[in-house]
Amino acid sequence: MKHTVATFKKAKTEGRKLSMLTAYDYSTARLMDEAGIHGILVGDSLGNVILGYGDTVSVTMEDMIHHGAAVSRGVKNALLVVDMPFLSYQTSAYDAVVNAGRLMKEGRAHAVKLEGGREMVPQIRAIVQAGIPVMGHLGLTPQAIHALGGYKVQGKDEAAARKLLEDAKALDEAGVFAIVLECVPSALAGLITEAVSVPTIGIGAGAGCDGQILVYQDMLGMFSDFTPKFVRRYGEVGEAMKAAFASYIEDVGQGTFPGPEHGYQIADEVIEKLY
C-alpha cells in the first residue's frame, strides 16, 4: 500500500496506529519499506548518528538533500519526510518555501518536517500554500537544544503544558498533516492527540499518540553514545556487527579468508606460459 499524507490522516480517523523510523541511506530504507513501515524520516539526527556531531545544529541543506535523495531510491510505499535543518526556515517564510522546495525537488521528499510552535505558523502556511506537505515537531526540539538547556522532558508545569497544547492547535490550524511530539509527558501527549485533527507521532511521548517514531540506530543497538529512556531495543545489531567485524579480521589474519571457493579459476596452461 502506498502511504501518503492522506492515508496518515485516514489512519487517525480509523484509529489505526502509524509506525515511522528514521533512515539515511538506500539499503536501510529499502529494508524498512519492504518490512511495511508507514513512514520514513530522513532526520537531521543524521548529524549525531551518521556524521558524528554532538547535536543537529551543524547539519546543512546539502546534507539533508544528499541523504534524502539516497533514501528516496529505496522507498516504494512509505511516506518519505525530510527534516528542514537549522536556519533553513527560521529566517523567513521566503527562505522556508525555497528550502522546502529544494528538499522536494533535489531531496525527493514527499513532505518536510520543521520544529517550533506558533512562531513558525507563517512559515508553515507559506510552505503549505506552495503545495508542500508539512509535519510539525513540538516538545523537545533538538535544533533549539542550547536554548532549552539540554535534552529534557518538555511541558511538565502548567504554563509549559498549556503552551504545548496551544502550539499544537496552532500548527493544526496552519495546515500541518501530522505533528511529532518528542519527550512530552504521556498524559499531556494524549490530551494533545485528542485536541488536534491530525495524527500525532510520538517519540518519548507515550502510547496515546497516533503513531510512533524511533531513530533506527537506537532501536537496533547501533548507537551507544547515548540511549534515551524511551527507546526499546528490538535487536542488538551493533554487537552482532562488531562480532562479525572481529571474525573477519581474525580470518584474514590467519589466512582462512578468502578460501578457494571465494576465488576465480584460470587454466593451468595459461599460468605455465607466463613463467
Side-chain angles (χ1 to χ4, degrees), residues 36-171:
I37 200 76
H38 298 114
I40 292 176
L41 171 68
V42 183
D44 59 3
S45 49
L46 69 87
N48 304 93
V49 298
I50 300 296
L51 302 178
Y53 297 142
D55 54 42
T56 64
V57 174
S58 299
V59 176
T60 67
M61 277 292 297
E62 285 66 33
D63 292 331
M64 299 310 304
I65 289 169
H66 174 84
H67 288 275
V71 168
S72 74
R73 299 178 194 116
V75 171
K76 290 184 178 180
N77 295 309
L79 176 68
L80 176 57
V81 184
V82 178
D83 262 340
M84 298 193 71
F86 182 60
L87 289 188
S88 67
Y89 59 94
Q90 291 96 333
T91 48
S92 70
Y94 176 84
D95 288 344
V97 173
V98 169
N99 286 316
R102 289 192 66 197
L103 292 178
M104 298 291 283
K105 291 177 68 174
E106 301 172 53
R108 309 302 298 165
H110 303 148
V112 300
K113 180 172 75 65
L114 57 78
E115 300 177 1
R118 283 167 288 184
E119 69 280 4
M120 289 298 123
V121 164
Q123 285 91 326
I124 292 169
R125 289 192 186 280
I127 297 170
V128 172
Q129 287 171 4
I132 300 171
V134 177
M135 175 180 279
H137 185 154
L138 295 172
L140 174 59
T141 47
Q143 291 177 15
I145 197 65
H146 298 297
L148 295 175
Y151 295 94
K152 302 175 181 178
V153 177
Q154 302 297 305
K156 295 185 72 172
D157 60 49
E158 181 181 350
R162 189 175 301 279
K163 182 180 186 304
L164 276 178
L165 178 59
E166 294 305 315
D167 280 345
K169 292 178 180 178
L171 264 57

Side-chain angles (χ1 to χ4, degrees), residues 235-263:
E236 294 299 336
V237 176
E239 291 301 318
M241 290 173 69
K242 285 194 289 185
F245 297 151
S247 293
Y248 167 73
I249 293 166
E250 181 179 2
D251 287 352
V252 171
Q254 294 181 350
T256 58
F257 176 81
E261 69 274 22
H262 303 117

Side-chain angles (χ1 to χ4, degrees), residues 158-198:
E158 181 181 350
R162 189 175 301 279
K163 182 180 186 304
L164 276 178
L165 178 59
E166 294 305 315
D167 280 345
K169 292 178 180 178
L171 264 57
D172 188 9
E173 293 173 2
V176 300
F177 75 90
I179 303 172
V180 169
L181 298 176
E182 181 170 359
C183 289
V184 173
S186 300
L188 175 58
L191 181 62
I192 291 171
T193 299
E194 294 175 359
V196 297
S197 66
V198 297

Side-chain angles (χ1 to χ4, degrees), residues 169-230:
K169 292 178 180 178
L171 264 57
D172 188 9
E173 293 173 2
V176 300
F177 75 90
I179 303 172
V180 169
L181 298 176
E182 181 170 359
C183 289
V184 173
S186 300
L188 175 58
L191 181 62
I192 291 171
T193 299
E194 294 175 359
V196 297
S197 66
V198 297
T200 58
I201 308 297
I203 177 167
C209 294
D210 297 304
Q212 300 293 326
I213 186 168
L214 286 174
V215 173
Y216 90 87
Q217 287 92 339
D218 286 340
M219 58 94 75
L220 291 182
M222 297 172 64
F223 183 75
S224 58
D225 292 11
F226 173 72
T227 302
K229 175 185 178 181
F230 54 75

Side-chain angles (χ1 to χ4, degrees), residues 255-269:
T256 58
F257 176 81
E261 69 274 22
H262 303 117
Y264 302 95
Q265 304 304 313
I266 187 173
D268 290 342
E269 56 265 28

Side-chain angles (χ1 to χ4, degrees), residues 6-38:
T7 64
F8 264 52
K9 291 180 180 179
K10 187 177 181 182
K12 181 183 179 86
T13 302
E14 297 178 350
R16 291 182 286 107
K17 296 287 188 177
L18 294 161
S19 58
M20 293 187 68
L21 287 168
T22 63
Y24 317 96
D25 64 88
Y26 164 81
S27 56
T28 303
R30 183 171 178 177
L31 290 170
M32 291 177 182
D33 195 73
E34 291 174 350
I37 200 76
H38 298 114

